[in-house]
Structures are given as structure tokens and as C-alpha cells.
Amino acid sequence: MKSWRYLLPLITATMLVIPALRAAEPLSVVANGEVVGSVVVSEQQGKTQIVYRVDDNGRGPKLTTELQLGDAGIPLSLSVTGTSLMGGQVAEHYRYHQGVAEWQSQADSGKQSLTAPRLYIVNDSNPWLLGVYARALLAQPQHRLKVLPSGELSLQSLPQQVLGTGAQQLTLQVYRLTGLSLQPSYLMLDQQQQLFAVFSATGVTLRQGYEAQAGWLQSLAGDLETSRMRELQQQLAHQPSAQPLRLVNVHVLQVQQGQRTGLMSLQIKNGLISAIEPWHAGQHYPGETVYDANGGTLIPGLHDMHSHSTLDSGLWYLAAGITSTRDMGNDNQFLLDLIPRIDSGEIAGPRIVRNGFLEGRSPYSARDGFVVDSEQDAVAKVRWYKKHGYWQIKIYNSMNPAWVPAITREAHRLGMTVTGHIPAFTSPDQMIAAGYDEITHANQLMLGWLLHADEDTRTPLRLTAMVRAADLDLNSEQVQRTLSLMQQHHIPLDPTAVILERLMLSRAGAVTAGDKPYLSHMPIGYQRYRQRTFVPGLTPALDKQYHAAFNKMIALLGMMHDKQLQLLPGTDDTTGFTVLRELELYVQAGMTPAEAVRAGTLDCERYLGREQQLGSLEVGKRADMVLLRDNPLDNISNIRSAQMVIKDDSYYFPAEIYQALGVSPFALPPNKL
């Protein structure tokens, strides 16, 4: 399951508008150097039509938008039809008539009386509309606009860029658009204010004929975001200078025993835990930076064992209490550049363990890491990953199964292990025999029991076929045979149950159980994006089956826990909120809260081989911890109450991070004494 992060700046944009311009030039969508989609704009009988198509890794939005502008360039009506990322049906409509704005989308419906048309945030949008959006904002004195259904957008001008020479030279104005989603959007307008590009560090949509410039634009996005992240790190990271840092009036969770101490005082010097001792009211600590935890609970830093790092994911992770991640596939050069910046303290972020992504060449290839064309090439890339400090190899869906034994042999020879999806037209049992040391995603495991031999998991079938799990007998011979193989070979599962919950159970106009605790705090565009149906062709009967299938997956995780098979909490996401939900789902599957916290802390460090330094709160270990307002042993959901996060010689207050990111905080910082 590949992250769709390069699509997010494109599909959460809004609509809207300004006076008519010359016909827009078509755009290409580029991911990892390859064209994976297009945006074509035309005028038909006074209406603007935008056809947006993406086909990457067997999925992507396919949308047709039609809008009609009023005299002021604001849409009086618009419609969006087609399918969203995973094939879910889209039918969105907006109309302003006689002082009333009305809309209907996957997320919601509404009606509002207005004296004039207002910009409407479309739930299923496309990159071209960001240019229209920017022009609407440029017409405002402060470059800010209140929008429908709610919220406010702002536009910041950044330095111009010059592209090409001679007659082909273009002077392009760069802008940063914020207030819409979790990350800002970057875009370029030419001197006629036509859209030239929408770009990020992981993907680009740009004018056709300029596809060769996609790499340059990604680098520019990286530079702009790095600058922003550097400024935020300077603003949000706290250091106690030469003074020790101390937390008092605090309980310490001993994850080995699953117990909480009485009220303690914990001291940190030079990034290490230097003392844990009983605390009594009235004690003084001259020459130290002291915070009163007010009876809160300290736990070790949490882990996301299935991440796809971005420049700004670090702050989201730290705010949620996640101090370590395992990157399961990325642009290799981007990741090699990112990690030293985090480790040096230039920008904020968790510790990152890097996995080397290997994919085979096919029409469905995912485009992270390396896409290989031969067994020899695949083995050579394993050596490249080892040389560059990667911890593990991750194999993806289009890999030729016949090449896997050679890949795993070379990885094992070099002291690496192998995880991944189950390549198309094979099974978990076969990949265990071929040398897999771990399996990624619960659906990749379960599809081996649900699919026919000729069914292709390179397509969205790897999600939709999960509905068949509703009738799966977990005690059947085939299920138990695979679990026995996993026991014999000590093979853990990285379930990413949270992302499967989101993809299988998200419904138009509703908020999933995993999103309810935090979604109302988020920017309006993200709130609306989370309220949609991903699975296609949904009927009441099919909806019931999907819920039954998801419950069967949770039961499988409980069975695996009973069999002492390790579950590695991962998310395929970057917000941190999903890590917290993953652990809630483990408790739902049968773990105790203490076992779930240990699964997300010490057990991960033991798997990574770093338990001598990290994973538990002990004198001499690295300072890596989260102060929770509430006790997670009472209720696992109390891990959502982070007040302070400490990583080595820096500490952060989640409330400050969330405010800087446009999110309403969840818990106040502790008091400084």
C-alpha cells in the first residue's frame, strides 16, 4: 500500500475565481519522473470544463468539473463527477442563486444566505483550480479570503523564478497557499497569471511540454519547505541550555512491567535520563529547568513502523508523541538529505529508520525508491541500499516473484532483512519460503486466503477484495498454516490496521471512529477530505460486508497476538494521529492498554535492535518520552493527551506545534516552576 501524499496538495484544493482569461494550457501530472496524469481545460457554451485524470499504481482520481462564472468571476454553479482516489463515486454540486448558496458533496451539504457569492471549497478538486484560487486571493488587499463551508485561506508571495532562455524564457511568480489542508500548497503563475505549476517535494503538476522541469520544481519545493521547517524549528524547539531539565510530580510508566510508578522526579542531562527518584511537594531544584507535570504520566516515545516521511511530517509526529519512525519507501535522495537535517536539529522530526523500496516494472508500478527491470538490477539495488545505510529492504506489488529469493539472499548476506507486500500472483506462504522476514499490511497477508491465483493485486482489488474476509474462517487450514509458518520463522506483521479502517469504512458525510477524536480541530479542507467513501459501488449490503470484514481483520490481529506473533504499529500516514488509533485498534483486538503501549515503544526498539538506548524510561537511556495528561493504563485513548514531548536535548509542547500548524490544541503544556 503506497502513500498517496503527492496527490494531497492537488485533491484538497478549492475552487474559485476571477475574470475570464485566455484558454488554459493543458498540464501533466508527474510522479518520480514519470507522467501519471493530466489536466485539460476547455470552454464549452460559456462553461469551463476541467478534466483531471491520474493513474498511478493502479489508482488515482478521474474527475470532470464544470463551472459557470458570474460577472465578478465567482462561480454561480459548478459540478464535479467521476471517481476519487480509490474509485469511489463523486457527485458534487454547488449553486449560488438569489442570495443563497447551496452545496452537496461527499462530505456534507449546506445552505447559506449571502449578499454576494463566496468562494466554495470543493471536496473533490483538481490542480488547475489552485491557479484560479490564487488569482481570487490576489484580488484581496491582504491576500486572505473567508470561504464556504468555513475557514479562511491566505496567499504569500515568494521569490520569482526564471525558467528557460531566449524566446522560451518564462518569469514565474511563486506562491504559498495556506489554510486549506495539513500542508501548504506551492504554485506558480506566469506573467499572464495563468497557472504554470502546482508542486511539492514529492510530485508536480505542470504545463505540458515542460515535464523535464519536474525535478527542478521538486527541488524548489524542498528548499521552500525546508526554509519554512527551519523557521518553525527555531520557534518551537526548546532547550534548557546548560541546565538540566526536570519533570516533577509525574508518574513514570514502566513498560516492561506494564505498571505506573508513584509520583516521581525525572532529571535529564545532555540528552540522557540522569535520575528518576521519588518526588515530594516542596522540593527545590536550583540551577535546573523544572516543569510540574501535575500528576501526569510519562511514557517512552511512540513509533510509527510504517511511515513515508515528508519535510513537515516531523512536527506532526512530534506533536502526537511519536519520536521514531521507519520510512517504508520514499524518494531516496530526499530521504538521505532529510535525515541529517533532523539529526542535526536543523528541522524538527523523529528518528528515522530507512527502508529501501524495490518495485518491479509494470503498468502498475509504484514510483518510490527503485523500479527494477531484472533480477540482476534488483540485487544491485540491494547493495546500493546497504552502502547508503538502509536498515531493511521493502518489496512491492509488481516485483517478479522469481527474483525474490535472490533479493532476500543478498539482503541477508549483507546483514539486512526483507519485508514488503506480497507480489501479485503469489502468496504469503511462497514469500516466506522465498526469504521474507516480515509482512507489510494486514490485507497483504489476508489476500493470500481470499483471492484466486489469477487475480491481480496491483490494482485496487488489493483493497476491495478485503470485503470477502467477512466470510473467512480464521480457524481454516490455510489460515492456520500461514500463521504457523510465521511462528516458525518469527515473522512479524506490520498491520496498518488504521489505514485499512479508513479505506474500508470511510463513508460520505460521516466521520470514522478513528478520526472523531481530532478531526474537528483540523483545517476545513482536511476535515472535508476525510469524510468520503473510498470503496466503489457501495450498497447497504456491501457496507455491512465491509464492516464484517474489518471486524474479521481485528479478530485476526487478536489471534496473532495470542500466538505471540509481533504486531508492529504502522500507519502508512504522516499525521501521528493514526499511530494513536492503531494502538486503540490493538486494544480492540484483545491487547491490554499496557501491552499496546509496550507494542508501540519497547517492542519496536527491540525489533530495531536499539533497546539498550531507547524504548523504556531508565537512568542512562536517551531522553525520549511523552508527558501525557491522563493515564493510558486506564484507557488507551489517553495517549491522545500529549502535553510535552522530549527527544534528546530538545523538548516541544504539542499545543504550540498545533497552533503553528493551524490546528486547535488538544492539551495544555505543563507549568514551568
Side-chain angles (χ1 to χ4, degrees), residues 66-83:
E66 290 190 352
L67 61 101
Q68 186 166 15
L69 304 178
D71 293 338
I74 300 294
L76 299 179
S77 66
L78 64 87
S79 65
V80 187
T81 56
T83 56

Side-chain angles (χ1 to χ4, degrees), residues 122-297:
V122 167
N123 202 25
D124 287 274
S125 190
N126 64 70
W128 183 81
L129 293 163
L130 279 179
V132 184
Y133 223 19
R135 292 188 294 269
L137 286 160
L138 286 170
Q140 304 301 311
Q142 302 298 320
H143 297 174
R144 304 180 74 90
L145 278 174
K146 292 188 181 298
V147 297
L148 292 173
S150 65
E152 182 177 86
L153 302 185
S154 64
L155 192 72
Q156 178 186 0
S157 297
L158 300 173
Q160 289 184 340
Q161 301 289 323
V162 177
L163 176 67
T165 59
Q168 299 300 313
Q169 187 176 89
L170 290 174
T171 300
L172 301 166
Q173 179 61 54
V174 183
Y175 297 99
R176 179 188 287 139
L177 175 65
T178 57
L180 184 62
S181 193
L182 302 187
Q183 301 86 19
S185 297
Y186 290 97
L187 64 150
M188 286 179 165
L189 302 183
D190 64 20
Q191 290 179 305
Q192 289 74 44
Q193 291 196 340
Q194 281 278 25
L195 182 68
F196 176 80
V198 175
F199 59 104
S200 72
T202 52
V204 175
T205 298
L206 79 170
R207 192 169 294 172
Q208 286 186 8
Y210 291 88
E211 289 84 357
Q213 303 300 324
W216 168 68
L217 285 171
Q218 285 184 257
S219 296
L220 176 61
D223 292 342
L224 294 172
E225 272 296 273
T226 298
S227 177
R228 187 173 79 96
M229 289 298 105
R230 189 183 297 117
E231 292 173 3
L232 286 171
Q233 169 74 335
Q234 293 171 355
Q235 171 189 339
L236 298 169
H238 300 266
Q239 285 96 17
S241 302
Q243 294 181 327
L245 173 66
R246 186 180 290 270
L247 292 176
V248 301
N249 190 15
V250 67
H251 298 279
V252 177
L253 182 58
Q254 300 171 317
V255 290
Q256 300 96 321
Q257 298 83 20
Q259 297 176 345
R260 202 172 68 137
T261 67
L263 291 173
M264 307 296 285
S265 168
L266 183 145
Q267 184 193 61
I268 295 167
K269 287 183 182 178
N270 301 319
L272 299 175
I273 300 172
S274 49
I276 303 175
E277 52 202 15
W279 173 81
H280 304 286
Q283 288 179 297
H284 298 283
Y285 305 94
E288 299 186 22
T289 301
V290 183
Y291 286 90
D292 182 357
N294 195 32
T297 301

Side-chain angles (χ1 to χ4, degrees), residues 402-480:
W403 303 346
V404 172
I407 293 170
T408 59
R409 282 195 303 270
E410 185 64 10
H412 294 161
R413 184 184 73 82
L414 295 171
M416 305 173 77
T417 56
V418 177
T419 186
H421 289 209
I422 305 302
F425 312 115
T426 186
S427 71
D429 294 15
Q430 291 171 301
M431 290 302 97
I432 292 171
Y436 266 38
D437 303 283
E438 178 192 330
I439 294 174
T440 294
H441 301 300
N443 62 317
Q444 291 290 317
L445 174 64
M446 297 177 73
L447 291 173
W449 312 321
L450 301 174
L451 295 181
H452 303 298
D454 60 347
E455 291 186 293
D456 192 347
T457 56
R458 296 172 299 177
T459 71
L461 182 68
R462 63 180 179 270
L463 166 65
T464 56
M466 281 294 289
V467 73
R468 304 177 194 176
D471 301 318
L472 178 66
D473 179 4
L474 294 180
N475 292 310
S476 66
E477 180 182 352
Q478 60 174 348
V479 173
Q480 293 302 312

Side-chain angles (χ1 to χ4, degrees), residues 21 105 112 118 136 161 179-180 280 282 345 347 360 362 442 584 608 673:
L21 300 170
S105 76
Q112 190 168 335
R118 186 181 296 179
Q161 301 289 323
L180 184 62
H280 304 286
I347 64 176
S362 84
E584 289 176 334
L608 296 171
L673 299 179

